[in-house]
Amino acid sequence: MEMAIGSHSHTQENFLVATHLWFRNQVSIIVQESHFVILLDAQLLQPLTPSTEKKGQLMRRNDIRNIAIVAHVDHGKTTLVDSMLKQAKVFRDNQFVQERIMDSNDLERERGITILSKNTSITYNDTKINIIDTPGHSDFGGEVERILNMVEGVLLVVDSVEGPMPQTRFVLKKALEFGHAVVVVVNKIDRPSARPQYVVNSTFELFIELNASDEQCDFQVIYASGIKGMAGLSPENLGKDLGPLFESIIRCIPGPRIEKDGALQMLATNIEYEEHKGRIAIGRLHAGALRKGMDCEGRFTVPICTSEDECRYARVSELFVYEKFFRVPVETVEAGDICAVCGIDDIQIGETIADKISGKPLPSIKVEEPTVRMSFSINTSPFVGREGKYVTGRNLRDRLYRELERNLAMKVEDGETSDTFIVSGRGTLHITILIENMRREGFEFMVGPPKVINKKVDDKLQEPYEIATVEVPEEYMGPVVELLGKRRGQMFDMQGLGSEGTNLVKYKIPTRGLLGLRNSILTASRGTAILNTIFDGYGPWAGDISTRDQGSLVAFEDGTTTSYALSSSQERGQMFIGPGVDVYKGQIIGIHQRPGDLSLNVCKKKAATNIRSNKEQTVVLDTPLDYSLDDCIEYIQEDELVEITPKSIRMCKNPKMAKKAR
């Protein structure tokens, strides 16, 4: 009898909640495949559930929304942010605005990817929306993990043809762990082969796989074309602008929960550096208010606390909030807003600016461990100092340890010698972006081949595995599948993609097998395949993997290359260099067509004799291979190095390895 009464009262309570929501006119009903799905607004449920009532002085701030835009690479995050900024009248009508305005870094523009997360804000119907654009590559996942500390909700952007991809899974998993509200944006809906129904269903299945709560699974879906600046609640009926997207952000993503009159708390989530301002700490104010030149105990300082309850004092010299596309100086920032703080020269990511008397440090930020490492050492080639400004071991050491201050997912250790350092990161791209930035700053150094970081569990060797997703046209499926099989990859899914005759294959593959794979796959598919990877976890050692079948062509002596010497050398393989290029003994000048290295004299000149031939021989040289930094790092083997200078990238044999071999 008691059970019957209990269940009756529980049903009655549920009915009252549902009725309350209905009459507040905040229930959106979507008709999908002849089923009615009721999407309850998570924000409205909060006042009715005992667990989310005020804890002490906790309250919601409704005039602000903090959101991160997350997605797989190339799904259109940055383009969508462009359209949001334009429609929020961030720019003047006659102002020239370049594409992908958020990708302000030269390297980001060249590569067409987002590397660093960036803040901006817009105002929509008296509500300030702080937007953070995040990277899409899995190698920069540490950046995304940090940013999720600053927001209450995410816009998950998914391509209308590809659907959820490896990085979509990663960023969504992190957002759900934080308990964030999610609005799904099916982007590029104007593509001819768009399949929105499949994409929404796949995204829903992904939510279920990642153990999302019932409230999180009831996500709002917006269909959009970021490049056209249009959005709507159905794929066939897009609005004239992004109004439906802005409305959904305000309706579905809750305002920040704050302790308005509580003790000051602000977690430093990101660090920027400017020549005149020094270090700038960026984060969201969780409680209290932060003032410029703030005093504590009669001193114009605030305490900086670490998780070990150690505090030191510093002065807030300048205080900024984000308005439109700029940092705007303010005197005071209230809890809930995202701000930038200047004047604290030694602040680190994960530290808390807090009230000394009653403030407590917030939990420090933790990111996943690195999986790949590379050795950095000073340049020892005969061409050292020709192009670079910083060439010493001390310069290299200072720069690498400075990188750790803002790049939490990276680690630096001292190597075997005083001028060698081991740099560990989330993937080869993570480390090559650092290398590219350093060479642009004027550094000269050498890097070794990437190696995976193994672990020992119960005395058994384990190595990192990744999920590799390859989009490949049907005609090239055979060579690509064979290539992945040779590298110990195990296929677990294969499906057709849209109406373009493209297949999507998914593999679980050791990270070792991915080193040098991108070039091989592009060669096998005539440049048409797209490879994406994401870290999966550690697993048993997969055995030996052969990553390169061909040897290198190596310069026999120092000198300048000649057409005469190259014409005979190119019969031995593909060359990296043309005529008139300075080379040194041990430099890699090409790919041998057979296994094993071969030394060649590419500086040999034609003998000038007085015996005239009947006809002068015409020399026809093949176009040399143009390898980028990423290509060179993928190419080199254990006994080879890449020489990095501001103007050149060369490969050479490691002289230390050659001595050992003798």
Side-chain angles (χ1 to χ4, degrees), residues 234-497:
S234 71
E236 299 83 20
N237 188 21
L238 294 186
K240 292 177 181 176
D241 55 20
L242 293 172
L245 176 61
F246 291 131
E247 294 287 349
S248 298
I249 290 170
I250 289 167
R251 189 177 72 249
C252 302
I253 292 175
R257 184 187 274 126
I258 60 165
E259 202 172 333
K260 192 173 181 181
D261 302 320
L264 170 67
Q265 276 185 322
M266 177 193 147
L267 185 69
T269 313
N270 211 349
I271 298 282
E272 285 183 9
Y273 185 84
E274 277 189 18
E275 193 91 14
H276 305 294
K277 292 186 173 66
R279 302 190 74 166
I280 303 170
I282 300 168
R284 178 164 68 85
L285 208 57
H286 287 259
L290 187 60
R291 290 184 296 280
K292 182 178 171 181
M294 190 166 184
D295 66 311
C296 180
E297 297 181 341
R299 290 174 291 183
F300 282 89
T301 53
V302 288
I304 314 301
C305 300
T306 60
S307 52
E308 289 82 35
D309 293 333
E310 296 173 359
C311 288
R312 62 187 188 280
Y313 287 93
R315 185 176 185 275
V316 177
S317 61
E318 288 185 88
L319 195 56
F320 300 91
V321 294
Y322 289 89
E323 277 187 22
K324 299 184 177 176
F325 197 58
F326 307 101
R327 281 199 295 258
V328 178
V330 289
E331 292 295 319
T332 307
V333 177
E334 292 186 355
D337 207 349
I338 291 173
C339 63
V341 180
C342 299
I344 308 170
D345 295 332
D346 56 350
I347 192 165
Q348 303 285 346
I349 289 173
E351 291 187 330
T352 306
I353 298 174
D355 185 279
K356 189 192 174 189
I357 299 161
S358 53
K360 294 178 183 175
L362 291 159
S364 191
I365 298 170
K366 291 183 175 67
V367 293
E368 288 180 5
E369 292 291 306
T371 57
V372 173
R373 67 171 186 264
M374 289 168 68
S375 67
F376 284 50
S377 59
I378 59 168
N379 190 0
T380 53
S381 86
F383 295 166
V384 62
R386 282 193 183 184
E387 300 169 5
K389 192 174 165 187
Y390 308 108
V391 294
T392 66
R394 186 176 56 81
N395 294 145
L396 186 60
R397 180 191 182 86
D398 291 348
R399 176 64 182 83
L400 290 174
Y401 279 97
R402 198 164 70 239
E403 183 68 19
L404 296 182
E405 294 175 358
R406 65 166 317 283
N407 204 332
L408 276 193
M410 196 169 271
K411 288 187 177 177
V412 177
E413 303 162 78
D414 292 340
E416 294 176 0
T417 60
S418 60
D419 48 23
T420 305
F421 307 93
I422 307 299
V423 178
S424 308
R426 294 286 277 266
T428 49
L429 182 66
H430 190 198
I431 302 175
T432 51
I433 292 296
L434 167 64
I435 294 169
E436 187 66 55
N437 281 325
M438 285 174 67
R439 71 181 281 243
R440 289 176 187 219
E441 291 165 18
F443 283 85
E444 262 191 35
F445 54 100
M446 285 184 161
V447 295
K451 298 175 186 175
V452 298
I453 299 171
N454 300 318
K455 280 184 180 178
K456 274 212 166 181
V457 180
D458 301 328
D459 288 335
K460 289 182 181 176
L461 189 63
Q462 294 207 327
E463 64 174 327
Y465 279 76
E466 304 203 23
I467 302 297
T469 309
V470 188
E471 285 176 53
V472 58
E474 213 160 312
E475 64 215 83
Y476 300 119
M477 270 288 286
V480 169
V481 167
E482 186 184 350
L483 198 59
L484 286 156
K486 276 183 184 174
R487 288 167 177 259
R488 308 278 180 176
Q490 295 180 329
M491 187 194 293
F492 64 88
D493 188 21
M494 184 172 88
Q495 59 190 23
L497 193 66

Side-chain angles (χ1 to χ4, degrees), residues 589-604:
I589 52 173
I591 304 173
H592 192 197
Q593 59 195 6
R594 294 197 177 108
D597 297 337
L598 179 67
S599 292
L600 293 175
N601 186 354
V602 286
C603 305
K604 185 170 57 179

Side-chain angles (χ1 to χ4, degrees), residues 163-213:
M165 295 290 277
Q167 185 67 5
T168 314
R169 183 188 188 92
F170 171 80
V171 293
L172 179 60
K173 181 181 177 216
K174 294 293 172 192
L176 295 176
E177 284 172 5
F178 276 93
H180 291 334
V182 182
V183 173
V184 175
V185 180
V186 180
N187 197 24
K188 305 186 184 180
I189 200 69
D190 50 343
R191 282 181 70 174
S193 52
R195 41 182 189 164
Q197 195 64 54
Y198 162 81
V199 170
V200 172
N201 290 342
S202 302
T203 308
F204 181 74
E205 286 167 14
L206 185 58
F207 271 76
I208 300 296
E209 275 178 47
L210 296 174
N211 300 319
S213 65

Side-chain angles (χ1 to χ4, degrees), residues 108-163:
E108 292 177 319
R109 299 204 143 275
E110 285 169 26
R111 290 176 178 246
I113 59 172
T114 302
I115 296 168
L116 302 170
S117 57
K118 297 174 198 68
N119 297 53
T120 185
S121 84
I122 58 175
T123 304
Y124 183 80
N125 290 353
D126 300 327
T127 302
K128 181 181 180 182
I129 304 174
N130 283 313
I131 302 170
I132 307 173
D133 184 22
T134 63
H137 272 281
S138 56
D139 289 33
F140 310 114
E143 193 90 4
V144 180
E145 288 175 65
R146 290 207 314 265
I147 294 313
L148 291 174
N149 279 282
M150 278 203 277
V151 299
E152 284 75 40
V154 296
L155 290 190
L156 182 72
V157 182
V158 187
D159 188 285
S160 66
V161 176
E162 294 176 352

Side-chain angles (χ1 to χ4, degrees), residues 21-181:
L21 288 165
W22 181 268
F23 282 110
R24 285 182 66 172
N25 199 23
Q26 291 290 342
V27 176
S28 54
I29 300 176
I30 296 176
V31 180
Q32 183 177 318
E33 295 183 356
S34 306
H35 296 291
F36 286 95
V37 182
I38 300 180
L39 299 179
L40 300 178
D41 188 346
Q43 191 181 348
L44 291 167
L45 282 169
Q46 282 150 6
L48 296 169
T49 51
S51 61
T52 53
E53 283 177 5
K54 286 185 183 179
K55 296 176 184 175
Q57 295 297 314
L58 283 182
M59 55 179 283
R60 287 277 180 203
R61 185 173 171 183
N62 285 319
D63 60 335
I64 284 183
R65 298 289 184 275
N66 298 318
I67 62 165
I69 299 192
V70 297
H72 186 80
V73 65
D74 280 342
H75 280 199
K77 297 181 300 298
T78 307
T79 308
L80 183 66
V81 174
D82 275 4
S83 294
M84 291 171 78
L85 290 169
K86 284 172 187 168
Q87 293 191 17
K89 302 293 182 201
V90 168
F91 309 107
R92 298 189 310 274
D93 291 339
N94 62 344
Q95 187 174 346
F96 169 74
V97 181
Q98 58 190 6
E99 283 186 8
R100 302 199 325 275
I101 185 75
M102 296 295 278
D103 285 348
S104 51
N105 187 317
D106 288 343
L107 208 49
E108 292 177 319
R109 299 204 143 275
E110 285 169 26
R111 290 176 178 246
I113 59 172
T114 302
I115 296 168
L116 302 170
S117 57
K118 297 174 198 68
N119 297 53
T120 185
S121 84
I122 58 175
T123 304
Y124 183 80
N125 290 353
D126 300 327
T127 302
K128 181 181 180 182
I129 304 174
N130 283 313
I131 302 170
I132 307 173
D133 184 22
T134 63
H137 272 281
S138 56
D139 289 33
F140 310 114
E143 193 90 4
V144 180
E145 288 175 65
R146 290 207 314 265
I147 294 313
L148 291 174
N149 279 282
M150 278 203 277
V151 299
E152 284 75 40
V154 296
L155 290 190
L156 182 72
V157 182
V158 187
D159 188 285
S160 66
V161 176
E162 294 176 352
M165 295 290 277
Q167 185 67 5
T168 314
R169 183 188 188 92
F170 171 80
V171 293
L172 179 60
K173 181 181 177 216
K174 294 293 172 192
L176 295 176
E177 284 172 5
F178 276 93
H180 291 334

